[in-house]
Amino acid sequence: MTRLLPGLAALVFGLTLWQVVVWATGVPHFILPGPMRVASALRDNAALLGAQAGVTLANLAMGLTAGIALGMASALNLAMSPAARLLLRPLMVFAQAVPVFALAPIITLWLGYGAPSKVVMVALVTYFPVTSAFFDGLMRLPPDLDDLARQMQARPLRRLLLLQLPHALPALGSGLRLAAVQAPFAVIIAEWVGASKGLGHLMLLSNGRAQTDLMFAALILLAAISLCLFLAADRLARHWDR
Amino acid sequence: MTAPALHLTGDLCLGGRRLCPGLNLHCAAGTWTVLLGPSGVGKSSLARLIAGLPCPAHLTGGIAADDGMALAGRVTLMAQTDQLLPWADALANVTLGARLRGDRPDPDRALALLGRVGLEGHADRRPATLSGGQRQRLALARTLMEDRPIVVLDEPFSALDAATRATMQDLAAEVLQGCTVILITHDPLEAARLGTGAWLLDPTGATPLGLPATRAPRPVSDPATLAAQADLYRRLMTPDHAA
């Protein structure tokens, strides 16, 4: 409870400041709606917002699962095989240099307005941080444990599973934290570029119709989703850090 | 498991530099041989070479066992750091070797060894919850679990406080009976207590050291041991070693 208190105080302070700005400047509510207005938009459109948030969450969950699973598999594969390292590492460095968000239009063109383009975008931005953090962790076995593995005549796969993998978990945790930060960006951009559902689509739509209060309501939901995602990743990472 | 004698010959070189020339060290079978010397003379390199671990230094002659068989798989090294897995409990740390080789671990033997090193009832403890002395006991149990005839100890007790170190020396001497042990140390008392044979390594080469003829481990209060310790100190502190 004592940990939550400062956060709560900051929230109240922020909301008050927001309301004061709206009152003091007298901006029209279609430019900047006050927190009360956004709250009532949240309440009045609960069903619509819930449905759109559900779509976005599903896209996020599928993309994260795919990106994390592929990223972990790639890192393990790279750690096991020097040939794979030789071949794939330069390719990965190059792929990482391409700004994934710039690919959103082409991915939408290829995969359409449905879920697949969103899932692929999220998987793409998740894949690289997970792969590179996990791979680094796997390759950085402390020298004294490497010595131990050598004199115990460890089999390579056993060495990977019993020494490298547990040692790489904190690094994987950092990768997951990064992925959790990036994934909501990816899903929203994909939904902006082309979608018929989802919070990103709703934001674009309500913005165009000057329903700024609805747009803010969607934004708040999105922020809440991002926060929960990050907290979940952070919790996992902390657990592995011990 | 009959422990062979070891013979180390040649110059210990690092790059083009000779760290310790003209080695001709005999480590008698089933006894403790102490290699004493100042830092930087390549003691740890020698330990790694005997254990077959990668090492930037090399020995021009070689390391041979007197039974003519290869050393690979017959040596285990106990290092200054305990090399324990922080995420695994004591039992899992002791059985690590078998698991890394893909063999079936023998938990009963591991538990017996934990008891032998005085860690009975600690099988499910993580290393972080153990004291420095207990962690070295655990590392010793892991070394015993490997059951190798040749054991290299590279200053394994140097990070412990004096009393814990003396206890660990007694324990190691007891449980490693029958093994050919090479003890690397810079501690004259440790050398005087545990060595059957002993060599002083320095940049001019290796010199055999005289130790009491009594059985190791010699009591810390034994006058002959203390005299040997004083003599070793004197030899370590002569000007060419102080540099």
Side-chain angles (χ1 to χ4, degrees), chain A residues 35-77:
Chain A
M36 307 290 230
R37 212 167 231 292
V38 173
S40 50
L42 260 172
R43 194 193 52 223
D44 298 342
N45 301 290
L48 173 71
L49 282 163
Q52 303 308 314
V55 170
T56 300
L57 262 177
N59 289 341
L60 260 176
M62 286 188 281
L64 275 168
T65 309
I68 292 169
L70 283 173
M72 286 178 65
S74 299
L76 286 169
N77 181 40

Side-chain angles (χ1 to χ4, degrees), chain A residues 158-176:
Chain A
R158 293 278 173 156
R159 180 180 185 273
L160 181 73
L161 294 178
L162 292 173
L163 300 179
Q164 289 169 277
L165 183 75
H167 179 261
L169 285 182
L172 176 62
S174 318
L176 289 183

Side-chain angles (χ1 to χ4, degrees), chain A residues 4-239:
Chain A
L4 283 176
L5 226 53
L8 217 60
L11 186 69
V12 170
F13 176 73
L15 288 175
T16 314
L17 193 70
W18 179 5
Q19 186 70 66
V20 166
V21 168
V22 170
W23 275 333
T25 58
V27 287
H29 60 76
F30 60 87
I31 299 288
L32 178 64
M36 307 290 230
R37 212 167 231 292
V38 173
S40 50
L42 260 172
R43 194 193 52 223
D44 298 342
N45 301 290
L48 173 71
L49 282 163
Q52 303 308 314
V55 170
T56 300
L57 262 177
N59 289 341
L60 260 176
M62 286 188 281
L64 275 168
T65 309
I68 292 169
L70 283 173
M72 286 178 65
S74 299
L76 286 169
N77 181 40
L78 284 169
M80 273 304 278
S81 149
R85 282 206 286 283
L86 213 65
L87 259 143
L88 295 180
R89 289 240 51 208
L91 204 66
M92 290 198 38
V93 170
F94 175 74
Q96 215 166 357
V98 175
V100 177
F101 297 120
L103 296 178
I106 196 83
I107 288 173
T108 309
L109 177 71
W110 288 341
L111 298 176
Y113 276 30
S117 55
K118 285 80 204 165
V119 173
V120 166
M121 274 292 285
V122 173
L124 269 178
V125 300
T126 312
Y127 174 80
F128 290 109
V130 169
T131 306
S132 89
F134 193 35
F135 174 72
D136 277 353
L138 288 172
M139 296 309 281
R140 282 196 196 137
L141 191 67
D144 61 334
L145 293 188
D146 182 56
D147 285 349
L148 205 59
R150 280 172 195 274
Q151 44 170 317
M152 288 175 165
Q153 288 140 331
R155 291 190 191 177
L157 187 64
R158 293 278 173 156
R159 180 180 185 273
L160 181 73
L161 294 178
L162 292 173
L163 300 179
Q164 289 169 277
L165 183 75
H167 179 261
L169 285 182
L172 176 62
S174 318
L176 289 183
R177 274 199 197 107
L178 256 165
V181 170
Q182 299 266 30
F185 285 115
V187 77
I188 285 305
I189 286 178
E191 288 179 357
W192 278 349
V193 168
S196 50
K197 281 183 256 171
L199 282 178
H201 169 69
L202 181 65
M203 284 168 78
L204 213 60
L205 208 67
S206 47
N207 209 25
R209 293 179 182 163
Q211 288 176 308
T212 320
D213 47 357
L214 185 57
M215 206 219 57
F216 268 83
L219 189 64
I220 284 170
L221 266 185
L222 182 65
I225 289 172
S226 304
L227 190 67
C228 290
L229 201 57
F230 178 77
L231 288 179
D234 191 55
R235 209 191 160 106
L236 196 62
R238 271 167 205 269
H239 174 73

Side-chain angles (χ1 to χ4, degrees), chain B residues 180-206:
Chain B
T180 301
V181 179
I182 292 104
L183 172 66
I184 312 278
T185 185
H186 54 225
D187 177 3
L189 180 59
E190 190 160 275
R193 291 197 70 205
L194 296 175
T196 299
W199 301 83
L200 176 69
L201 300 185
D202 65 34
T204 64

Side-chain angles (χ1 to χ4, degrees), chain B residues 113-194:
Chain B
L113 287 176
L114 280 175
R116 202 160 164 214
V117 299
L119 287 176
E120 200 151 20
H122 290 64
D124 55 355
R125 296 270 295 271
R126 295 265 187 103
T129 68
L130 299 172
S131 70
Q134 288 174 321
R135 292 167 63 106
Q136 275 307 353
R137 283 169 190 268
L138 184 50
L140 184 61
R142 185 191 54 204
T143 304
L144 293 173
M145 191 74 185
E146 288 299 287
D147 201 18
R148 308 278 174 99
I150 302 163
V151 179
V152 183
L153 303 177
D154 186 8
E155 307 186 16
F157 314 131
S158 58
L160 302 175
D161 66 84
T164 310
R165 188 184 316 162
T167 316
M168 278 303 291
Q169 287 165 352
D170 289 335
L171 179 65
E174 183 201 321
V175 295
L176 291 175
Q177 253 174 35
C179 297
T180 301
V181 179
I182 292 104
L183 172 66
I184 312 278
T185 185
H186 54 225
D187 177 3
L189 180 59
E190 190 160 275
R193 291 197 70 205
L194 296 175

